[in-house]
Amino acid sequence: MTENDQGNVPSRQRKRFPGISSRAYEHPADRSALVALRKLSGFDTVFKALSGLLPERSLRLLFLSDSVRVSDAQFSHLNDMLRDACYILDLEKVPPMYVTQDPKPNAMCIGLDEPIIVVTTGLVELLDEEEMRAVVGHEVGHALSGHSVYRTVLLFLTGLALKIAWIPLGNVAIMAIVTALREWFRKSELSADRAGLLVGQDVQASMRGLMKIAGGNHLHEMNVDAFLAQADEYEKAGDLRDSVLKILNVLPRTHPFTTVRAAELKKWSESRDFQRIMDGHYPKRSEDKDTSVTDSFRESAGHYADTVRTSKDPLLKLVGDIAGGAGDLAGDLGGKLRNAFGGGQGPKKPDAAGSDEATGTTGTTGDGKSGPDSGTGDAQ
């Protein structure tokens, strides 16, 4: 563990997670979006072709020649944080990190064969030690999850789309894949935020960092609760027109909106899943090969269903209402069709044995089998 040389944050021990799998912190939407991306027509062909064409060696040489590589001799406090994050998440090979001159706060993890972490001077100057630790953990989480490969492809395709924008069909084909990649990457950011919290183990520092990215270095003018209230207002405010505008606003972005990220991370930090990880109960990398893809997809589908059901967004509430109404209608029609075509005999008068068939409820015979009217309760 690193010591705090600045003196403004007390040094403390952090829990370590030996052999932790990225499944422990991956957001369900991250996994399902990646599954959908891989199923996109033409994606595998494009991805395999690009893997051999992307100038990864050129990219590494560019950062080596025009940025500052983090080490014991340069940005040593960042080097300590990087090694600390890799130690906590048990990432065996420490990826190289570079600091590049850019006033805009940003960080990324890219690379096909091996990940590279890049942070801008704007980010380094904006965040304090604990906030920066969460960011470094965020990027190490990307590396552990293997996100750097798809992030690199996204950067390349985005640039390619701009170059061939004059070719109508070519641009449409590329932008379809770019849009799918962006959707996945926005979800992957939620996973990486969780990894950053596991490394920093300070939810308030994570919240402060996101607030600073949104509003600059003016913490004395900001409040975490008020910031989180914005996320709640954003989700439920407006009507269907606002829901459509939200979709259009987020489409060109690679990151979710900061208030949404803060709310998602706060919710996870208070969940049983997070507490179990902190208590040492989490999926291990050694078990990844035995993981069921079907189970992962089912979990992701369940997450989306819960999101639609509990969302305050007008459009998602409408989708939930329509889905619920369709389910009720299907059940009602199913019961009537079964009755019409012999699947059920309809209600009968009660017999001497006191059968409940006349009530239209499901009856059970003495041998445990369903009674004649067992198919008429579907519409409830």
Side-chain angles (χ1 to χ4, degrees):
M1 297 299 167
T2 59
E3 294 295 328
N4 174 29
D5 297 327
Q6 298 179 1
N8 59 341
V9 179
S11 298
R12 56 187 174 85
Q13 294 292 316
R14 292 173 177 81
K15 293 184 179 180
R16 184 172 180 254
F17 310 103
I20 190 171
S21 167
S22 60
R23 291 182 292 118
Y25 59 81
E26 281 176 347
H27 195 283
D30 173 8
R31 287 196 293 273
S32 59
L34 192 55
V35 168
L37 175 65
R38 288 167 175 162
K39 287 185 176 181
L40 183 67
S41 177
F43 175 75
D44 284 341
T45 302
V46 172
F47 181 77
K48 289 176 182 177
L50 287 176
S51 296
L53 295 176
L54 288 177
E56 184 176 14
R57 293 179 66 88
S58 174
L59 196 64
R60 291 177 181 276
L61 288 171
L62 177 64
F63 285 115
L64 187 63
S65 63
D66 204 33
S67 301
V68 177
R69 183 164 59 189
V70 170
S71 66
D72 287 331
Q74 302 184 115
F75 290 100
S76 59
H77 70 292
L78 293 181
N79 193 46
D80 289 340
M81 290 182 194
L82 176 61
R83 290 186 299 190
D84 195 43
C86 292
Y87 176 77
I88 290 174
L89 294 181
D90 199 17
L91 187 64
E92 293 184 4
K93 187 171 184 179
V94 179
M97 177 188 281
Y98 292 90
V99 177
T100 188
Q101 172 63 32
D102 187 343
K104 184 176 181 179
N106 197 14
M108 59 182 173
C109 181
I110 56 176
L112 295 175
D113 297 327
E114 295 181 356
I116 302 173
I117 295 174
V118 181
V119 297
T120 65
T121 51
L123 190 67
V124 174
E125 293 165 1
L126 178 65
L127 304 182
D128 67 25
E129 181 175 346
E130 293 298 286
E131 296 157 6
M132 193 68 198
R133 189 184 302 278
V135 169
V136 173
H138 174 111
E139 299 305 327
V140 170
H142 275 313
L144 182 59
S145 293
H147 291 162
S148 61
V149 175
Y150 297 101
R151 172 62 166 163
T152 305
V153 172
L154 174 58
L155 287 173
F156 178 79
L157 288 179
T158 302
L160 181 62
L162 293 175
K163 293 178 181 178
I164 64 171
W166 58 277
I167 307 177
L169 293 180
N171 186 51
V172 169
I174 293 296
M175 285 309 299
I177 296 178
V178 168
T179 300
L181 274 167
R182 283 175 177 163
E183 168 62 13
W184 160 74
F185 196 76
R186 286 191 293 270
K187 306 305 184 186
S188 76
E189 286 298 298
L190 302 178
S191 297
D193 284 342
R194 294 177 173 187
L197 179 57
L198 291 176
V199 168
Q201 298 174 24
D202 183 347
V203 68
Q204 291 301 316
S206 295
M207 294 294 107
R208 292 197 311 268
L210 289 170
M211 283 198 305
K212 283 185 176 180
I213 291 173
N217 194 12
H218 305 283
L219 275 180
H220 63 288
E221 298 285 355
M222 294 185 279
N223 177 275
V224 172
D225 293 334
F227 189 66
L228 292 173
Q230 288 181 224
D232 186 62
E233 181 180 346
Y234 171 78
E235 183 182 6
K236 66 183 181 183
D239 53 23
L240 292 179
R241 292 170 298 178
D242 294 301
S243 297
V244 173
L245 289 173
K246 291 176 188 177
I247 295 172
L248 295 176
N249 285 339
V250 81
L251 277 179
R253 295 175 59 93
T254 57
H255 288 60
F257 294 116
T258 48
T259 56
V260 175
R261 291 172 63 185
E264 285 281 343
L265 186 60
K266 186 71 161 56
K267 185 191 305 180
W268 188 68
S269 72
E270 297 169 348
S271 70
R272 186 170 178 270
D273 290 340
F274 174 71
Q275 191 55 55
R276 281 182 57 81
I277 295 174
M278 296 304 295
D279 291 340
H281 305 291
Y282 51 82
K284 302 291 181 67
R285 262 168 268 170
S286 57
E287 304 165 350
D288 283 352
K289 62 181 182 298
D290 301 322
T291 302
S292 169
V293 176
T294 303
D295 289 343
S296 297
F297 194 78
R298 187 182 299 115
E299 181 184 350
S300 301
H303 165 77
Y304 272 117
D306 289 341
T307 298
V308 171
R309 186 175 63 253
T310 61
S311 176
K312 301 172 185 176
D313 181 84
L315 181 58
L316 288 184
K317 286 176 68 177
L318 177 62
V319 170
D321 291 343
I322 291 174
D328 292 341
L329 180 61
D332 186 45
L333 288 175
K336 291 179 179 179
L337 287 172
R338 277 192 294 274
N339 288 333
F341 292 97
Q345 302 299 320
K348 296 180 180 179
K349 294 181 180 180
D351 56 21
S355 170
D356 60 353
E357 290 172 1
T359 64
T361 59
T362 302
T364 305
T365 62
D367 60 0
K369 297 179 181 178
S370 296
D373 198 37
S374 62
T376 61
D378 290 305
Q380 296 179 357

